[in-house]
Amino acid sequence: MIDFFLDAYKDVSTTHILLEFIVFVFGILSVWFARQENILVYPTGLIATIISVYLLFIAGYLGDMMINGYFTIMSIYGWYKWTRKSSDNDAMPITRTNTREKLIGFLLFIVTIFVVYGIYKLFGNELHGDNYFDIVASGIFFTGMWYMANKKIENWTLWILGDIIVTPLYAYRGLGMLSLQYLIFTILAISAYLEWRKILNKNSQRL
């Protein structure tokens, strides 16, 4: 197990390893803060996603790079949405998606799949089996990030599903640190879903 993690980094520069470690730490912090409904989810997430865009561009994983580029944009949007006050001066509450939001999420998933596929083709990259998992995960994560920005509890269901897909995917690609990170993300996402559901149920009882 230790060799699995070390072998992937034996020919990698110290700077690259340091950047990946920063992504690892701040990515986990971001999910932890999201679980607590803490606004720090966004500044910590921005640090992780901006560095990830650079690392994934260097590695040539275009689908993953697009995901993190989108995460960066949606983190800024989510930061604004979470701090915006409603008319009764309360912060945005946790809610479930309605029919319209479910449809938007489904369309976002489909459009993302076609866009990521098109980008692979545009850059002339040969698609292998693992790339198709990458493309599907992109659609799941894109939708999940939009739901999170709007504090929809379904975001955690999508994060769990996406994390389950990419954890073995990164292990297969020899990216041990990222694989471990998404395994931790899976555990945190399950915990966060249970925590948000508890808050949602408590808020519903007050109405």
Side-chain angles (χ1 to χ4, degrees):
M1 179 63 73
I2 294 175
D3 289 340
F4 169 72
F5 287 101
L6 294 181
D7 286 348
Y9 298 98
K10 61 184 179 181
D11 297 321
V12 177
S13 70
T14 303
T15 301
H16 185 103
I17 294 173
L18 178 60
L19 288 174
E20 195 168 323
F21 180 73
I22 291 171
V23 170
F24 180 85
V25 172
F26 279 87
I28 291 172
L29 282 174
S30 180
V31 179
W32 176 259
F33 285 131
R35 176 186 179 276
Q36 297 178 318
E37 207 183 344
N38 190 314
I39 194 63
L40 289 175
V41 56
Y42 289 113
T44 52
L46 277 169
I47 292 171
T49 56
I50 290 171
I51 297 174
S52 292
V53 168
Y54 169 73
L55 293 176
L56 291 165
F57 174 75
I58 296 299
Y61 295 126
L62 301 179
D64 299 280
M65 183 190 74
M66 279 194 61
I67 292 173
N68 282 275
Y70 172 78
F71 284 175
T72 301
I73 296 170
M74 288 302 295
S75 290
I76 297 170
Y77 171 72
W79 198 342
Y80 163 74
K81 291 279 288 186
W82 279 37
T83 55
R84 185 182 178 188
K85 301 294 183 181
S86 61
S87 56
D88 58 1
N89 207 36
D90 290 331
M92 180 193 297
I94 296 171
T95 56
R96 294 188 183 278
T97 55
N98 55 34
T99 302
R100 175 178 171 275
E101 289 161 341
K102 284 184 172 65
L103 179 59
I104 292 173
F106 177 72
L107 291 175
L108 184 58
F109 170 75
I110 296 299
V111 169
T112 302
I113 286 178
F114 280 102
V115 169
V116 176
Y117 178 84
I119 286 179
Y120 271 109
K121 288 296 186 180
L122 180 65
F123 283 88
N125 289 41
E126 183 181 354
L127 286 167
H128 302 285
D130 63 306
N131 295 122
Y132 290 101
F133 285 102
D134 174 29
I135 290 169
V136 171
S138 297
I140 293 171
F141 286 140
F142 268 49
T143 306
M145 191 66 183
W146 185 75
Y147 282 161
M148 173 175 280
N150 290 282
K151 278 196 180 179
K152 302 299 177 181
I153 193 171
E154 289 86 353
N155 89 88
W156 292 116
T157 305
L158 295 178
W159 286 120
I160 293 166
L161 178 60
D163 291 342
I164 289 173
I165 292 173
V166 300
T167 297
L169 178 63
Y170 283 130
Y172 169 78
R173 289 172 169 175
L175 301 172
M177 194 177 295
L178 276 175
S179 178
L180 176 61
Q181 183 185 47
Y182 276 91
L183 176 60
I184 296 172
F185 281 172
T186 306
I187 297 168
L188 288 175
I190 294 170
S191 175
Y193 173 80
L194 296 174
E195 183 67 24
W196 278 37
R197 188 176 66 176
K198 187 189 305 180
I199 294 171
L200 181 61
N201 290 338
K202 186 183 298 183
N203 291 341
S204 298
Q205 291 171 4
R206 292 174 183 170
L207 299 177

